[in-house]
């Protein structure tokens, strides 16, 4: 008796979603082994994570607060993936968005909520979009590997924010902590339900809808899909590939930059060190799991939001570093690759 | 002064050199490994932990190579048998490595070990100016330079090296001529990842004998970029790694001298220079003077061979 791998027609629809869920489950199992090594009972730990993240109204609002930046960054990465552009610089683009928003919030003197928020938003988009436009232009003009450039630029963006909060923008009343002055009330988004849930969440849903319409329902959305899957065909069809690479990277960076804007205006109300616990890196997984679909991004972002809230509580109850999130995310991607393989292959027994 | 800067350049460049050599071997087999950053961290922690518990630096080095090699093998297996997307798998490896070392390394933060000592080579180390900085280094520095020549020899002067390059250029042709492509790719990934782990261990066992979370600080990504800069040649990788060692050395020197330039701005320099170098290298490649392996990054399905 021997086993052999045979190709089969790819599964679709509900089976495909089940495979994705199965890979998350397998990642949970393997993470459980690591938790056992750290003397933590995985079953009770996972139960705690579930209760903390969705077991109460407060938990759900906290999960939605974490879901918000993830949706923006996830959409950003997904839009670039659509054109087979590997923008893994969402983290840096988020930081540049936060920089842009702070630039307005700290220097514009106005009591008008509308003026303040609008300008913060535009400034965030401008700087975050520009940050992604650089690797986009390098890719379009010189064909420079965008994966490495976007990633390296993350380090530069984070150092840039550090430079400001340790230097020119340091709050004189901040007891020498590396934080900027607190934003005025005009620079804050409204909050709901007596919780930290802010209007940024609804903006995220709106963005998802817009991205869905643009990507799925417009000619331009179709064009960038063609460039991604078949650049030669796109060229013969007269589509300007270079222009579109630059444009898509700008939009991709701008979406991640809104995450920076919404985190500062909605939650943190000042520029500080480590404004993101890795939302930009999580966005890569979200975009991959969601298969580049905008609605998929919203759902997977919620699942990842649960993971962030859950692991916050793991840190409090079990002193487990938040980095456990990365372990889990790496394992999800590994098991997803295996799962994808078995969508197109099956094991059959052959008699010798 | 010059002597101090050359010394600091070599010490800062060695960890990147190991990682770059590792990635060259892996990419020569046709696989891109974006997990280098994570593998370096795994090597750094495995090396430090082993040396801390056994008091043996040699065991630490072996543990680093083996642990990173095994972790890299996950990537190798996913990219061969499971036909996985190499970019996704590599990013997953980096995420896994960054996370797992932070979780498992928590108890090692703040612990100390005695790192590798310098070995003075008689006579040569007495050469004025350059002698003491070139010939009074630790054993891992000498080993890294030796490896540059050994790996070059292996790739260009041995049958295995020729086969490995064929697998990276044209796996179909390799398969037809009886070379086991998957085996070559797996072995290359294991050895290359092990070298990346050794690069990480150089940081935790010699450069700053400590374990700090995320202590590689992007060196793994710089190494991936340097492979393109060095156009897959080990000897050019040596220059590339020392060039970056030099930038870090000068940057640290500036900080030590109490310059008015912000430390955060100075710390950006290695990343900015990597991007600039990458642009220049890519323009050269696009002009056609490339030795990039033909099948780099492509999934090879043995069942599809004709």
């Amino acid at each position: 008796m021997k086993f052999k791998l045979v190709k089969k027609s790819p599964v679709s629809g509900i089976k495909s979603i089940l495979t994705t869920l199965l890979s998350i489950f397998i990642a949970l199992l393997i993470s459980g082994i690591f938790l056992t090594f750290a003397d933590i009972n995985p079953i009770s730990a996972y139960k705690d994570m579930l209760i903390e993240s969705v077991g109460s109204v407060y938990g759900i609002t906290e999960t939605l607060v974490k879901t918000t930046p993830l949706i923006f960054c996830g959409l950003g990465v997904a839009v670039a993936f659509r054109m087979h552009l590997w923008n893994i610089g969402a983290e840096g683009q988020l930081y540049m968005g936060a920089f842009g928003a702070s630039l307005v919030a700290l220097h514009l003197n106005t009591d008008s909520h509308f003026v303040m928020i609008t300008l913060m938003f535009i400034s965030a988009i401008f700087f975050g979009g520009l940050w992604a436009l650089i690797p986009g232009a390098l890719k379009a003009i010189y064909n420079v590997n965008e994966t490495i450039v976007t990633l390296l630029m993350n380090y530069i963006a984070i150092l840039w924010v550090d430079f400001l909060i340790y230097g020119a923008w340091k709050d004189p009343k901040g007891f020498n902590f590396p934080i900027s002055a607190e934003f005025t009330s005009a620079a804050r988004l409204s909050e709901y339900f007596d919780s930290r849930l802010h209007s940024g969440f609804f903006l995220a849903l709106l963005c998802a809808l817009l991205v869905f319409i643009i990507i799925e329902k417009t000619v331009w959305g179709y064009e960038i899909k063609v460039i991604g899957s078949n650049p030669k065909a796109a060229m013969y069809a007269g589509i300007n590939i270079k222009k579109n690479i630059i444009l898509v990277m700008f939009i991709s960076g701008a979406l991640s930059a809104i995450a920076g804007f919404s985190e500062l205006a909605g939650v943190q109300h000042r520029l500080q060190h480590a404004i993101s616990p890795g939302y930009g890196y999580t966005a890569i997984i979200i975009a991959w799991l969601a298969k580049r679909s905008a609605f998929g991004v919203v759902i997977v972002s919620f699942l990842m939001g649960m993971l962030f809230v859950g692991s916050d509580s793991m840190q409090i109850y079990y002193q487990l570093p938040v980095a456990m999130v990365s372990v889990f995310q790496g394992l999800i991607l590994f098991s997803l690759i295996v799962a994808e393989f078995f969508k197109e292959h099956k094991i059959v027994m052959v008699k010798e | 002064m010059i002597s101090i800067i050359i010394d600091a350049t070599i010490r800062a460049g060695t960890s990147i050199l190991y990682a770059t050599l590792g990635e060259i071997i892996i990419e020569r087999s046709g696989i891109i490994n974006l997990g280098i950053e994570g593998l370096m961290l795994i090597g750094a922690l495995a090396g430090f932990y082993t040396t801390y518990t056994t008091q043996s630096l040699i065991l630490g080095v072996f543990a680093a190579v083996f642990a990173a090699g095994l972790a890299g093998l996950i990537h190798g297996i996913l990219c061969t048998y499971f036909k996985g997307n190499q970019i996704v798998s590599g990013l997953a490896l980096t995420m896994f490595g960054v996370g797992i070392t932070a979780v498992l390394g928590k108890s090692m933060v703040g612990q100390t070990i005695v790192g590798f000592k310098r070995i003075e080579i008689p006579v040569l180390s007495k050469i004025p100016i350059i002698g003491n900085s070139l010939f009074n280094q630790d054993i891992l520095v000498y080993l890294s330079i030796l490896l540059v020549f050994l790996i070059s020899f292996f790739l260009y002067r041995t049958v295995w090296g020729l086969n490995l390059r064929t697998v990276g250029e044209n796996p179909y042709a390799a398969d037809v001529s009886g070379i086991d492509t998957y085996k070559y790719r797996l072995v290359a990934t294991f050895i290359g990842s092990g070298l990346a782990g050794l690069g990480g261990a150089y940081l935790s066992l010699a450069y700053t004998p400590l374990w700090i979370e995320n202590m590689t600080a992007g060196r793994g990504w710089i190494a991936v970029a340097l492979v393109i800069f060095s156009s897959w040649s080990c000897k050019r990788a040596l220059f590339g790694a020392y060039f970056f060692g030099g930038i870090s050395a000068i940057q640290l020197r500036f900080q030590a001298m109490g310059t008015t330039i912000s430390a955060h701005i100075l710390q950006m320099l290695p990343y900015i220079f990597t991007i600039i170098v990458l642009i220049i290298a890519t323009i050269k490649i696009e002009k056609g003077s490339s030795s990039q392996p033909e099948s780099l990054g492509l999934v090879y399905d043995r069942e599809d061979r004709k």
Side-chain angles (χ1 to χ4, degrees):
Chain A
M1 205 78 97
K2 257 176 85 177
F3 293 98
K4 202 180 155 205
L5 279 169
V6 184
K7 280 198 178 166
K8 60 175 183 185
S9 55
V11 295
S12 58
I14 197 87
K15 259 190 173 169
S16 174
I17 294 170
L18 281 176
T19 327
T20 307
L21 290 176
L22 183 71
S23 58
I24 295 181
F25 180 72
I26 291 168
L28 276 171
L29 273 181
I30 302 172
S31 309
I33 299 171
F34 287 111
L35 288 177
T36 319
F37 273 121
D39 284 331
I40 295 169
N41 178 350
I43 294 169
S44 61
Y46 290 151
K47 214 177 96 193
D48 286 343
M49 285 174 78
L50 202 63
I51 292 170
E52 286 293 323
S53 55
V54 288
S56 64
V57 176
Y58 172 77
I60 292 173
T61 58
E62 276 301 296
T63 300
L64 291 178
V65 168
K66 306 267 184 200
T67 305
T68 305
L70 291 172
I71 294 177
F72 289 123
C73 294
L75 290 172
V77 177
V79 165
F81 272 4
R82 182 76 171 194
M83 235 177 100
H84 288 231
L85 286 170
W86 288 90
N87 174 12
I88 53 175
E91 188 80 355
Q93 290 140 19
L94 181 155
Y95 271 82
M96 289 317 274
F99 157 72
S102 308
L103 185 70
V104 172
L106 294 171
H107 296 95
L108 181 72
N109 209 349
T110 174
D111 288 333
S112 161
H113 179 71
F114 178 76
V115 172
M116 183 63 115
I117 291 293
T118 310
L119 287 178
M120 281 169 75
F121 181 78
I122 292 170
S123 171
I125 285 184
F126 175 76
F127 285 102
L130 211 60
W131 200 244
L133 188 141
I134 298 170
L138 289 173
K139 169 83 180 180
I141 301 167
Y142 299 117
N143 200 20
V144 179
N145 185 318
E146 79 282 8
T147 320
I148 303 172
V149 178
T150 49
L151 194 287
L152 287 169
M153 286 177 73
N154 287 344
Y155 290 93
I156 301 173
I158 292 169
L159 282 166
W160 172 245
V161 166
D162 278 348
F163 164 69
L164 292 169
I165 56 177
Y166 280 90
W169 287 9
K170 193 198 259 180
D171 184 7
K173 287 174 268 173
F175 302 102
N176 221 16
F177 280 114
I179 49 176
S180 79
E182 200 164 29
F183 295 172
T184 58
S185 56
R188 294 177 179 213
L189 295 174
S190 5
E191 292 170 359
Y192 307 102
F193 310 122
D194 266 337
S195 71
R196 302 202 301 159
L197 185 65
H198 53 89
S199 48
F201 174 68
F202 302 102
L203 183 65
L205 293 182
L206 185 69
C207 278
L209 186 67
L210 277 177
V211 168
F212 169 78
I213 293 170
I214 292 169
I215 297 289
E216 303 292 341
K217 305 286 172 205
T218 67
V219 177
W220 184 67
Y222 181 73
E223 275 183 13
I224 67 165
K225 194 170 155 186
V226 173
I227 298 174
S229 51
N230 194 344
K232 276 216 179 100
M235 220 163 67
Y236 292 133
I239 301 172
N240 188 335
I241 297 181
K242 288 183 182 196
K243 195 186 85 190
N244 276 306
I245 289 179
I246 296 173
L247 191 61
V248 164
M249 282 298 278
F250 181 87
I251 294 173
S252 170
L255 282 164
S256 298
I258 302 176
F261 154 79
S262 123
E263 270 298 288
L264 261 55
V267 184
Q268 307 188 17
H269 307 306
R270 57 167 27 124
L271 192 61
Q272 52 190 338
H273 184 70
I275 40 181
S276 154
Y279 293 136
Y281 295 107
T282 307
I284 303 163
I285 300 170
I286 293 172
W288 193 253
L289 280 178
K291 304 261 177 280
R292 296 159 230 171
S293 121
F295 287 121
V297 166
V298 174
I299 293 162
V300 183
S301 294
F302 184 78
L303 292 177
M304 290 295 156
M306 283 172 65
L307 185 64
F308 273 104
V309 173
S311 61
D312 274 352
S313 62
M314 297 291 284
Q315 190 179 22
I316 297 163
Y317 298 148
Y318 301 94
Q319 281 79 48
L320 196 70
V322 183
M324 193 64 206
V325 174
S326 309
V327 176
F328 187 68
Q329 291 174 338
L331 290 172
I332 291 182
L333 285 180
F334 283 148
S335 38
L336 193 68
I337 289 174
V338 177
E340 298 269 322
F341 176 76
F342 281 111
K343 274 184 198 171
E344 288 173 19
H345 296 78
K346 60 183 175 187
I347 302 172
V348 290
M349 277 190 291
V350 284
K351 291 206 178 93
E352 272 180 290
Chain B
M1 180 73 183
I2 294 172
S3 175
I4 294 171
I5 288 185
I6 296 175
D7 178 63
T9 297
I10 293 172
R11 289 174 60 79
T14 298
S15 134
I16 296 179
L17 178 57
Y18 276 118
T20 311
L21 291 175
E23 181 74 5
I24 287 177
I25 295 178
I26 301 171
E27 291 198 7
R28 278 289 185 185
S29 81
I31 287 182
I32 292 178
N33 186 354
L34 296 183
I36 295 293
E37 179 79 4
L39 292 169
M40 287 179 82
L41 283 165
I42 290 174
L45 180 65
F48 187 85
Y49 181 82
T50 308
T51 302
Y52 178 77
T53 44
T54 63
Q55 302 300 323
S56 160
L57 286 163
I58 300 300
L59 280 181
V61 166
F62 277 109
V65 172
F66 195 65
L70 276 186
L73 212 48
I74 301 174
H75 178 67
I77 291 170
L78 290 180
C79 295
T80 50
Y81 292 107
F82 289 100
K83 301 163 183 55
N85 182 306
Q86 298 183 5
I87 297 180
V88 174
S89 171
L91 288 172
L93 189 55
T94 286
M95 286 175 190
F96 177 75
V98 169
I100 200 75
T101 52
V103 172
L104 299 180
K106 225 180 83 179
S107 60
M108 285 292 114
V109 175
Q111 308 290 359
T112 50
I113 54 162
V114 179
F116 276 101
K117 293 253 172 12
R118 286 168 188 264
I119 301 166
E120 200 176 333
I121 296 178
V123 188
L124 290 175
S125 63
K126 296 288 179 258
I127 303 171
I129 305 174
I130 57 163
N132 196 47
S133 42
L134 291 180
F135 301 105
N136 186 11
Q137 293 287 359
D138 56 67
I139 182 103
L140 289 183
V141 171
Y142 299 133
L143 177 67
S144 68
I145 297 166
L146 187 67
L147 276 177
V148 169
F149 296 98
L150 276 181
I151 295 171
S152 264
F153 180 82
F154 163 80
L155 284 175
Y156 290 97
R157 297 276 181 273
T158 65
V159 179
W160 286 350
L162 176 69
N163 288 350
L164 181 74
R165 287 187 292 129
T166 312
V167 169
E169 296 290 341
N170 189 340
Y172 298 91
D175 228 341
V176 170
S177 57
I179 301 169
D180 188 337
T181 46
Y182 283 3
K183 199 170 86 190
Y184 269 88
R185 288 190 166 180
L186 288 177
V187 172
T189 312
F190 180 80
I191 294 173
S193 303
L195 281 176
L198 184 52
Y202 182 76
L203 295 173
S204 67
L205 298 181
Y207 192 58
T208 46
L210 286 171
W211 164 253
I212 306 163
E213 199 184 313
N214 248 327
M215 67 190 298
T216 48
R219 286 181 177 84
W221 293 103
I222 292 178
V224 174
L226 277 186
V227 173
I228 299 173
F229 161 78
S230 59
S231 52
W232 295 265
S233 135
C234 299
K235 283 165 195 160
R236 292 189 59 174
L238 181 77
F239 289 108
Y242 286 167
F243 175 63
F244 282 92
I247 290 168
S248 326
I250 291 168
Q251 178 257 116
L252 287 170
R253 192 81 207 138
F254 263 119
Q255 286 189 44
M257 280 163 28
T259 158
T260 48
I261 308 170
S262 153
H264 296 113
I265 299 294
L266 288 171
Q267 281 168 29
M268 290 178 189
L269 292 178
Y271 308 110
I272 295 173
F273 272 94
T274 308
I275 293 172
I276 295 172
V277 158
L278 190 62
I279 297 167
I280 297 169
T282 309
I283 292 172
K284 273 175 86 178
I285 288 174
E286 292 293 307
K287 278 187 184 151
S289 57
S290 163
S291 40
Q292 170 170 359
E294 266 319 300
S295 301
L296 186 61
L298 303 177
V299 170
Y300 170 58
D301 191 341
R302 294 184 67 183
E303 290 148 49
D304 287 347
R305 74 193 141 167
K306 299 279 155 25

